[in-house]
Amino acid sequence: MPDRGIVLGPNRYGKAEVRVVKVARDTDRHEIEDLSVTSQLHGDFAAAHLSGDNSHVIPTDTQKNTIFAFARDGVGSPEAFLLRLADHFTSSFAWVDGGRWEAESYAWQRIVSHGAPHDHAFVRSGQGVRTAVVVADGDERHVLGGLKELTVLKTTQSGFEGFPRDRYTTLQETADRILATDVAARWRYVGTDVDYNAVYESVRGLLLEAFAERYSAALQTTLFEMGARVLEVHPEIGEIRFSMPNKHHFVVDLAPFGLDNPNEVFYAADRPYGLIEATVTRDGLAPAPAAWEGIAGFC
């Protein structure tokens, strides 16, 4: 084959968004674990791209079936489940030297029937989606916890003042506005000996507390306080990254109808919106670019 001056660059492949639900039936009181799992492998797959040789291509269907088989023993936490998958694929196939495994975890709450939580009937919880990522590079493991679609709002104790003005500026300064956002956050652990479920619940609570407390001079200020609160409490977390839209609420002018509007009636605009993204990290923390590769929306 003639030299075309073209080479294969970085690549990976796998099975995306495998929906797996595990029900624990050991007792009459059932437990449910509900996930969407993506498995992607990297390693020596050049021949498949360059010559159609599939001898190293572990079928994506095999990856899907492995996820289901591993779920038979339970999930435990999304992070621990993904670590098990990473260890399996990197140890079972000599040409697989790493990969990226990602999960979304969907929470269910027991339905209350006759004043008591039901043993086997659930309602989907709508307060955010838990996320997790494991990146394997040889023997190295990077673990990211996270959440998304955590919609929060405060009706006061927020403002936006002191910004520069030019001929195109129409926004008026305010010291009392609605602040609302959809929190998407991912945090990187600095080890793997972690009670991931306990830390997740704690981090989620800390994010909500930090959002609610104190006056917010800007969404940027609140974002930093949320991240700092998490790092102050959890030494096992090295950095936390946010992507947070500013869900604007505009005071409606009711004067044409002969009515006042003392910050009570708002128009909730879905677009365009401000988008704030930032990393809150420990001073001197060694960067881990491999952990964040391919994760869109987090600077």
Side-chain angles (χ1 to χ4, degrees):
M1 179 180 296
D3 184 1
R4 302 163 63 186
I6 301 171
V7 298
L8 177 67
N11 61 89
R12 62 185 178 215
Y13 82 101
K15 185 70 85 176
E17 298 187 30
V18 179
R19 291 288 284 109
V20 55
V21 175
K22 172 65 167 64
V23 179
R25 302 174 180 270
D26 299 340
T27 68
D28 290 339
R29 189 174 181 82
H30 296 171
E31 304 288 342
I32 185 170
E33 296 169 308
D34 184 358
L35 296 92
S36 175
V37 180
T38 293
S39 170
Q40 293 182 295
L41 311 179
H42 68 69
D44 181 11
F45 301 114
H49 292 273
L50 303 177
S51 63
D53 179 355
N54 293 327
S55 59
H56 279 184
V57 180
I58 304 158
T60 64
D61 189 66
T62 301
Q63 296 180 54
K64 175 201 70 177
N65 292 339
T66 304
I67 291 168
F68 287 134
F70 274 42
R72 176 64 182 85
D73 292 329
V75 174
S77 72
E79 295 86 351
F81 187 69
L82 299 183
L83 282 166
R84 288 169 55 202
L85 291 170
D87 291 344
H88 167 77
F89 283 108
T90 56
S91 64
S92 298
F93 304 94
W95 58 89
V96 176
D97 56 28
R100 183 171 179 269
W101 290 265
E102 184 171 0
E104 294 183 357
S105 179
Y106 311 111
W108 293 86
Q109 296 176 332
R110 296 186 185 277
I111 293 174
V112 176
S113 176
H114 300 290
H118 201 278
D119 284 345
H120 56 263
F122 301 84
V123 60
R124 175 79 171 266
S125 173
Q127 296 187 12
V129 175
R130 182 176 177 178
T131 65
V133 176
V134 167
V135 175
D137 185 11
D139 293 332
E140 191 173 28
R141 300 288 185 268
H142 301 287
V143 181
L144 306 180
L147 53 78
K148 66 177 185 176
E149 299 173 13
L150 184 64
T151 302
V152 292
L153 178 150
K154 59 192 301 182
T155 55
T156 190
Q157 287 296 298
S158 171
F160 189 52
E161 302 174 281
F163 50 85
R165 308 190 72 89
D166 67 8
R167 60 185 293 192
Y168 303 113
T169 303
T170 59
L171 185 67
Q172 298 301 307
E173 296 189 359
T174 179
D176 187 6
R177 66 171 183 172
I178 286 178
L179 180 66
T181 186
D182 291 327
V183 181
R186 293 187 188 270
W187 51 88
R188 179 167 66 90
Y189 292 100
V190 292
T192 58
D193 185 16
V194 177
D195 183 343
Y196 295 108
N197 285 341
V199 173
Y200 172 80
E201 292 298 332
S202 174
V203 169
R204 184 178 179 279
L206 292 168
L207 294 175
L208 293 174
E209 287 178 2
F211 176 83
E213 297 172 359
R214 300 178 58 177
Y215 176 83
S216 174
L219 184 54
Q220 287 91 332
T221 310
T222 298
L223 179 156
F224 183 81
E225 289 299 325
M226 293 166 71
R229 182 76 60 91
V230 170
L231 296 186
E232 287 168 351
V233 174
H234 288 286
E236 66 271 42
I237 296 175
E239 61 178 320
I240 180 168
R241 302 189 179 192
F242 295 91
S243 180
M244 294 168 57
N246 196 335
K247 299 171 70 71
H248 301 299
H249 288 67
F250 298 108
V251 177
V252 178
D253 181 10
L254 298 180
F257 318 120
L259 301 171
D260 66 351
N261 187 3
N263 265 12
E264 293 184 358
V265 180
F266 298 84
Y267 167 64
D270 63 345
R271 58 180 58 88
Y273 53 85
L275 181 60
I276 315 302
E277 297 179 334
T279 301
V280 183
T281 186
R282 298 188 187 280
D283 189 19
L285 180 74
W292 300 98
E293 182 181 354
I295 298 181
F298 292 86
C299 61

